[in-house]
């Protein structure tokens, strides 16, 4: 099992959904679910059966207790997670008629961004075949540059996976654009959504974006296309997979679940632990098809509630 362990570094976010029903006049009713892109990915990985470590900064507030319960209940190892003095990050989400969420964030001075080099030391050479990160923890200071340094130090020992998970309400698009080439230098696998692509490279076709990011250093680029499936590009060799037809409760956590399904399958096939040198287009197609199934099961239920292995 140790040969398949994946470490995820990043944030936990409390997703507070506006409840249209049940609020009395003059009240706002909220339903709070544990979220955050990296935490969602760790939960999905562990539920699929991949040995998973989560390295995060989790607050001692009630939201932090919610995060810990969800992660440990899904089988995630929290031995090297930091008990943080700062409050948790809060995202207020309102869903439209199609289940897409519009967010406002309460994130200044919160626990997730305050990484020190010493706190990240436990994730350097921990025996994992893959180190996955991204989202806000990678782009926000002061912790973001320290996570970048961690990735550079982990590369000799592990495959590096990055999901930018662009959030323009908190971070200006130019901040992502300025850092993306460096992330491609560090990453073996770059996974992002079509929405992320529109922000980062407006008007650029997914295939052209893949070629640009290959040139910057990423061997494998995967762009998820919602109900149109996904495009994966391995050194320029393209693979397309369809999305299973499924009813959509909401799209919260879909991309995180896709990433988890992809990493889980690549680990099972023995392709993680280096620079993806053994990966073939056929194996990549198998991994992406599995990832699409995991994402489809996630969008079929409310919130970021990815499936367990038995559900598939």
């Amino acid at each position: 099992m140790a040969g398949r362990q994946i470490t995820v570094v990043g944030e936990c976010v409390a997703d507070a959904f506006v409840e249209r029903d049940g609020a009395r006049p003059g009240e706002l009713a909220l339903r709070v679910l544990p979220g955050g892109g990296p935490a969602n990915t760790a939960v999905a990985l562990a539920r699929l059966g991949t040995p998973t470590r989560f390295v995060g900064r989790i607050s001692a507030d009630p939201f932090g207790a919610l995060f810990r319960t969800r992660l440990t209940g899904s089988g995630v190892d929290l031995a090297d997670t930091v008990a943080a003095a700062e409050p948790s990050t809060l995202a207020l989400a309102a869903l439209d008629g199609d289940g897409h969420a519009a967010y406002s964030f309460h994130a200044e001075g919160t626990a997730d961004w305050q990484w020190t080099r010493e706190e990240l030391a436990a994730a350097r050479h921990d025996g994992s075949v893959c180190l996955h990160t991204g989202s806000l923890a990678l782009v926000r200071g002061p912790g973001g540059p320290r996570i970048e340094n961690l990735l550079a130090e982990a590369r000799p020992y592990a495959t590096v996976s990055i999901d930018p998970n662009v959030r323009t309400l908190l971070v200006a698009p130019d901040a992502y654009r300025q850092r993306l080439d460096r992330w491609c230098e560090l990453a073996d696998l770059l996974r992002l959504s079509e929405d992320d692509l529109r922000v980062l490279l407006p008007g650029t076709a997914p295939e052209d974006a893949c070629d640009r990011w290959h040139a910057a250093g990423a061997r494998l680029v995967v762009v998820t296309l919602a109900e149109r499936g996904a495009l994966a590009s391995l050194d320029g060799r393209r693979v397309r997979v369809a999305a299973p037809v499924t009813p959509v409760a909401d799209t919260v956590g879909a991309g995180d679940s896709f990433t988890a399904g992809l990493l889980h399958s690549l680990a099972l096939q023995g392709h993680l632990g280096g620079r993806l040198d053994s990966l073939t287009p056929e194996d990549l197609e198998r991994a992406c098809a599995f990832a699409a199934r995991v994402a489809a099961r996630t969008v079929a239920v409310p919130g970021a509630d990815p499936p367990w292995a038995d559900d598939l």
Side-chain angles (χ1 to χ4, degrees):
M1 296 289 276
R4 287 178 35 227
Q5 178 176 276
I6 292 177
T7 294
V8 179
V9 177
E11 73 265 21
C12 297
V13 176
D15 287 331
F17 293 88
V18 175
E19 293 275 67
R20 294 187 176 90
D21 302 323
R24 293 177 295 189
E27 290 183 347
L28 178 67
L30 300 175
R31 179 171 55 102
V32 180
L33 298 175
N40 292 342
T41 299
V43 164
L45 274 167
R47 290 184 181 183
L48 291 172
T50 292
T52 305
R53 298 172 70 249
F54 181 73
V55 180
R57 301 184 89 261
I58 299 183
S59 175
D61 64 18
F63 296 132
L66 183 68
F67 302 148
R68 287 181 180 274
T69 298
R70 180 208 195 197
L71 287 157
T72 56
S74 297
V76 178
D77 177 359
L78 296 184
D80 292 306
T81 282
V82 175
E86 302 87 0
S88 298
T89 305
L90 176 67
L92 186 61
L95 299 176
D96 65 18
D98 296 322
H100 295 278
Y103 290 95
S104 61
F105 286 91
H106 304 268
E108 292 309 312
T110 53
D112 300 283
W113 335 123
Q114 315 305 323
W115 286 107
T116 67
R117 177 179 168 81
E118 292 71 29
E119 288 172 343
L120 288 168
R124 276 195 187 94
H125 311 310
D126 65 358
S128 291
V129 295
C130 178
L131 180 59
H132 172 76
T133 189
S135 200
L136 292 163
L138 186 59
V139 76
R140 285 178 66 91
R146 292 168 184 155
I147 296 176
E148 282 187 10
N149 293 337
L150 168 67
L151 298 179
E153 292 166 1
R155 268 181 68 84
Y157 308 94
T159 303
V160 173
S161 168
I162 293 178
D163 177 355
N165 200 19
V166 175
R167 292 288 180 260
T168 56
L169 287 174
L170 278 179
V171 179
D174 276 348
Y176 291 95
R177 295 184 192 121
Q178 290 163 10
R179 303 280 281 280
L180 195 55
D181 281 353
R182 174 59 177 156
W183 295 346
C184 288
E185 288 177 11
L186 294 168
D188 302 289
L189 190 168
L190 181 73
R191 201 293 304 178
L192 65 168
S193 70
E194 192 173 32
D195 289 341
D196 295 336
L197 173 58
R198 290 192 189 103
V199 173
L200 296 170
L201 294 174
T204 303
E207 293 83 358
D208 295 334
C210 289
D211 289 340
R212 172 171 175 160
W213 292 325
H214 288 322
R219 291 200 67 182
L220 174 57
V221 181
V222 181
V223 182
T224 48
L225 306 168
E227 70 278 359
R228 302 197 325 281
L231 166 72
S233 184
L234 177 64
D235 296 326
R237 292 172 290 173
R238 318 283 197 222
V239 168
R240 286 187 174 272
V241 298
V245 177
T246 186
V248 177
D250 63 50
T251 61
V252 179
D256 308 321
S257 291
F258 184 99
T259 299
L262 179 64
L263 293 174
H264 172 79
S265 180
L266 292 176
L268 270 183
Q269 295 182 64
H271 293 303
L272 300 183
R275 308 281 75 86
L276 303 176
D277 292 329
S278 64
L279 183 59
T280 65
E282 293 75 21
D283 288 349
L284 175 58
E285 183 174 6
R286 184 180 303 115
C288 287
F290 178 77
R293 287 174 55 208
V294 177
R297 293 299 295 261
T298 303
V299 302
V301 297
D305 186 14
W308 295 77
D310 291 347
D311 298 330
L312 296 166

